[in-house]
């Protein structure tokens, strides 16, 4: 049995740009464009921050609006690593840096499932993991 087809350079660029689009849309308040980022039935899991998992674009939009001024003013994505999972399905791991209005910052890991749709690549599942300890917690005394 053959495994998944390797990602093309064009696929890698498109997926990396998709992940980068997240910051531009949220930072610009362009929440009406979230269908360019997520599948309609997306599952957004931020339980690591004490929030209930969200399902669907409307739930994500509503949660962002409810958070209001507590949202980060800048989302930056970096360290993107893509791995074929199955045909038209990719595992994307990336780092995120969020800057708050008061200048404080935090780091997260985005653990995404990205799928190819008729409209291009979209995130179908996102798990947001807080980075709170160096070395993934190995450096504790």
């Amino acid at each position: 049995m053959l495994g998944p087809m390797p990602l093309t350079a064009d696929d890698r660029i498109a997926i990396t740009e998709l992940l980068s689009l997240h910051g531009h849309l949220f930072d610009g308040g362009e929440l009406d464009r979230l269908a360019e980022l997520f599948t309609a039935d997306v599952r957004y899991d931020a339980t690591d921050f004490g929030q209930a998992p969200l399902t669907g674009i409307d739930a994500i939009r509503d949660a962002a609006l409810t958070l209001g001024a507590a949202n980060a003013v800048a989302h930056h994505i970096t360290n993107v690593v893509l791995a074929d999972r199955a045909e038209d399905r990719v595992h994307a791991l990336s780092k995120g840096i969020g800057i708050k209005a008061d200048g404080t910052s935090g780091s997260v890991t985005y653990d995404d499932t990205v799928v190819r749709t008729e409209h291009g690549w979209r995130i179908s599942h996102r798990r947001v993991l807080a980075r709170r300890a160096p070395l993934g917690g190995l450096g504790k005394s």
Side-chain angles (χ1 to χ4, degrees), residues 102-121:
D102 66 2
T104 59
S105 63
S107 180
V108 300
T109 297
Y110 292 117
D111 186 354
D112 295 328
T113 300
V114 181
V115 296
R116 187 189 318 263
T117 73
E118 63 183 287
H119 303 291
W121 292 100

Side-chain angles (χ1 to χ4, degrees), residues 28-123:
E30 298 182 64
L31 303 179
D32 58 329
R33 294 180 55 198
L34 294 183
E36 295 174 34
L37 190 61
F38 299 113
T39 60
D41 62 349
V42 61
R43 180 168 161 85
Y44 196 100
D45 181 351
T47 54
D48 208 24
F49 290 89
Q51 299 174 4
L54 304 171
T55 302
I57 291 171
D58 289 339
I60 294 170
R61 181 184 304 107
D62 292 347
L65 291 171
T66 298
L67 198 53
N71 280 288
V73 297
H75 294 80
H76 302 280
I77 193 163
T78 185
N79 301 53
V80 176
V81 178
L82 305 177
D84 301 333
R85 186 175 270 177
E87 188 174 342
D88 296 332
R89 181 175 298 276
V90 173
H91 179 236
L93 198 60
S94 59
K95 297 290 186 173
I97 302 167
I99 311 297
K100 297 285 205 158
D102 66 2
T104 59
S105 63
S107 180
V108 300
T109 297
Y110 292 117
D111 186 354
D112 295 328
T113 300
V114 181
V115 296
R116 187 189 318 263
T117 73
E118 63 183 287
H119 303 291
W121 292 100
R122 297 292 186 271
I123 299 168

